[in-house]
Amino acid sequence: MTKTSVLEASEVPVEQTSIRSSLRGYFSRVRGGEVGALPAILGLLSLMVFFTAMNPNRFASLLNFANLLNQSAAIIFIAMGLVFVLLLGEIDLSAGVAAGASGAVLAVLMTHHGVAWPLALAACLLAGAVIGLTIGLIVSRLGVPSFVVTLAYFLGLQGMMLWVIGEGGTIPVRSDTILSIMKSNVAPALGWVFTILVVSGYAAVTLSGARKRKRRGLPVQPPSILGFKIGAFAVLAGVGTHLLNQERSVNPELTSLKGMPYIVPITTVILVGLTFVLSRTAFGRHIYAIGGSVEAARRAGINVGRVKVICFIICSTMAASAGVLFASRDNSISPSTGGSITLLLAVGAAVIGGASLFGGKGKVRDAVLGGLVVATIANGLPLITSASSVQFIVTALVLLLAAAVDALSRRRAAATGHA
């Protein structure tokens, strides 16, 4: 950089916002339709308060807190992959059964053919990637609507599972490594190390982003707001780690249960990685551009077909990862794994979290928040009523509410010029 350019950069006026103006700007964006993950966060807090009030001894117990995280994991994995497809304005109706089919590949290779778990796991993920590749090629090259293609895959993959496993059959999974994913816990000391690393990383990314905006002459949040965000995240992560490190076994003398479940750091690492892809890479920007307008993205020189294929590969590979979680949680894979309402819950999780069915809006964290909302309903309702019908009705109402909020926020954003 030349001396002149350095002087020009240093002379760029930086707009330093105050706390009041930052809050005013945030509420202005919410009124303008940019609600983000706010409805999901408020919904999650409301559900937790409600179920805690209705059954404090069971819902608010430490054992149930860990169970809730495990219960939500598979749905969150499928939903994180679905976010990439939804951002394009597409849909993948086969994600649930893709999880089951990929899980069947894992179980058949390990149990029937004695393949070591690393190779079986690689084959499972490869199966998911191949499913996504073929879906993406048909959608992007032949122009067949993703709704039709993935509906056909939904039926075809279910048939393939019945053919491989057999009707009413079940393939057991006995690998200690695979089973430990959903059944083992991180040692408490390592849990604290992981939490410190995550909080430090969040602080570094937040402060680095503020410095970059300042260098470019863009408005930056005041240090007090940045400090509050980092502090609040640190407190939330610290309280969660502290609770998970407490003894939660019903009979501690027989078996001890301490530490965060393995699935927590695994989910966090994948969340960070996929968030980086969406927010810090040219590929991520292309996804949002296509979701905003396919024609405009094509005119801008973006290879729309290639981006679609990669997004479907990511979606199906994440579904295959969920298949591993199903196998680990249930100790087996059956023809019903990934079927029933699994896909509906995953799509609901993404939409409830804030991803738009119309494309162009959403983040990977939306899948995590929405997955926790769905899991909280599934976890809390059986503690206050034995009627399974109530769970379907309540989940449907929450999904309808989330879709309505999405539609209304888009209309509001268009009317106020925030779209």
Side-chain angles (χ1 to χ4, degrees):
M1 182 180 290
T2 64
K3 182 177 180 181
T4 304
S5 62
V6 171
L7 290 174
E8 287 175 348
S10 63
E11 289 168 358
V12 173
V14 177
E15 185 180 344
Q16 185 72 39
T17 59
S18 63
I19 296 178
R20 177 176 295 182
S21 64
S22 294
L23 293 175
R24 190 186 302 121
Y26 173 74
F27 287 115
S28 174
R29 290 195 298 274
V30 171
R31 287 195 298 272
E34 293 184 29
V35 294
L38 182 62
I41 294 173
L42 294 178
L44 181 60
L45 292 176
S46 301
L47 286 170
M48 288 188 166
V49 170
F50 173 74
F51 288 129
T52 300
M54 296 299 294
N55 195 335
N57 294 331
R58 295 184 63 186
F59 181 79
S61 67
L62 294 175
L63 180 61
N64 194 53
F65 178 43
N67 287 340
L68 181 62
L69 298 177
N70 276 329
Q71 193 173 349
S72 62
I75 295 297
I76 287 176
F77 270 55
I78 298 175
M80 283 196 289
L82 280 169
V83 166
F84 282 79
V85 174
L86 292 176
L87 281 172
L88 299 173
E90 304 284 354
I91 188 69
D92 186 352
L93 300 179
S94 67
V97 290
S102 302
V105 171
L106 175 84
V108 167
L109 288 177
M110 287 194 305
T111 304
H112 290 176
H113 300 283
V115 177
W117 72 264
L119 292 178
L121 178 61
C124 168
L125 299 179
L126 179 62
V130 170
I131 292 171
L133 173 65
T134 52
I135 292 175
L137 288 175
I138 295 174
V139 171
S140 63
R141 306 303 182 196
L142 300 182
V144 183
S146 57
F147 177 86
V148 178
V149 176
T150 56
L151 180 60
Y153 270 71
F154 173 84
L155 297 172
L157 290 173
Q158 279 197 323
M160 191 197 78
M161 287 182 64
L162 285 172
W163 178 59
V164 172
I165 300 176
E167 294 188 27
T170 298
I171 304 177
V173 175
R174 300 188 181 91
S175 166
D176 292 337
T177 305
I178 296 298
L179 297 179
S180 67
I181 296 175
M182 296 290 281
K183 293 182 171 61
S184 298
N185 305 300
V186 179
L190 288 178
W192 279 115
V193 171
F194 176 76
T195 300
I196 292 171
L197 289 175
V198 170
V199 172
S200 302
Y202 176 75
V205 170
T206 302
L207 296 176
S208 173
R211 280 196 297 270
K212 287 181 179 177
R213 290 181 64 84
K214 188 175 181 179
R215 280 200 301 270
R216 295 170 182 171
L218 298 172
V220 294
Q221 293 181 326
S224 53
I225 292 251
L226 296 176
F228 175 78
K229 290 168 66 176
I230 295 171
F233 181 75
V235 169
L236 188 62
V239 170
T241 303
H242 172 72
L243 292 176
L244 290 173
N245 281 345
Q246 303 304 303
E247 181 60 67
R248 54 180 183 273
S249 173
V250 177
N251 190 352
E253 296 180 354
L254 184 63
T255 237
S256 178
L257 282 177
K258 287 183 180 179
M260 64 173 65
Y262 277 172
I263 195 60
V264 173
I266 292 173
T267 305
T268 304
V269 170
I270 293 178
L271 170 64
V272 172
L274 294 181
T275 300
F276 178 83
V277 170
L278 272 186
S279 60
R280 301 298 178 97
T281 65
F283 172 70
R285 291 190 288 275
H286 292 173
I287 294 174
Y288 284 105
I290 294 172
S293 171
V294 174
E295 188 55 35
R298 188 174 286 114
R299 289 175 181 274
I302 296 174
N303 189 332
V304 175
R306 186 175 63 184
V307 173
K308 283 188 177 182
V309 170
I310 296 175
C311 285
F312 276 106
I313 291 175
I314 293 174
C315 181
S316 294
T317 305
M318 288 301 299
S321 304
V324 179
L325 302 186
F326 282 131
S328 176
R329 187 189 67 187
D330 300 336
N331 293 3
S332 63
I333 290 291
S334 71
S336 63
T337 300
S340 186
I341 61 170
T342 301
L343 172 72
L344 300 180
L345 293 179
V347 173
V351 175
I352 289 169
S356 175
L357 288 170
F358 303 99
K361 193 181 78 172
K363 297 180 179 178
V364 182
R365 75 176 184 200
D366 297 340
V368 179
L369 288 171
L372 289 174
V373 171
V374 170
T376 302
I377 295 172
N379 180 281
L381 278 178
L383 300 180
I384 60 177
T385 175
S386 58
S388 58
S389 57
V390 176
Q391 180 176 329
F392 285 102
I393 294 172
V394 171
T395 307
L397 291 175
V398 172
L399 177 58
L400 275 178
L401 180 63
V405 169
D406 175 38
L408 291 174
S409 64
R410 277 188 169 268
R411 186 183 302 174
R412 180 69 178 167
T416 57
H418 286 80

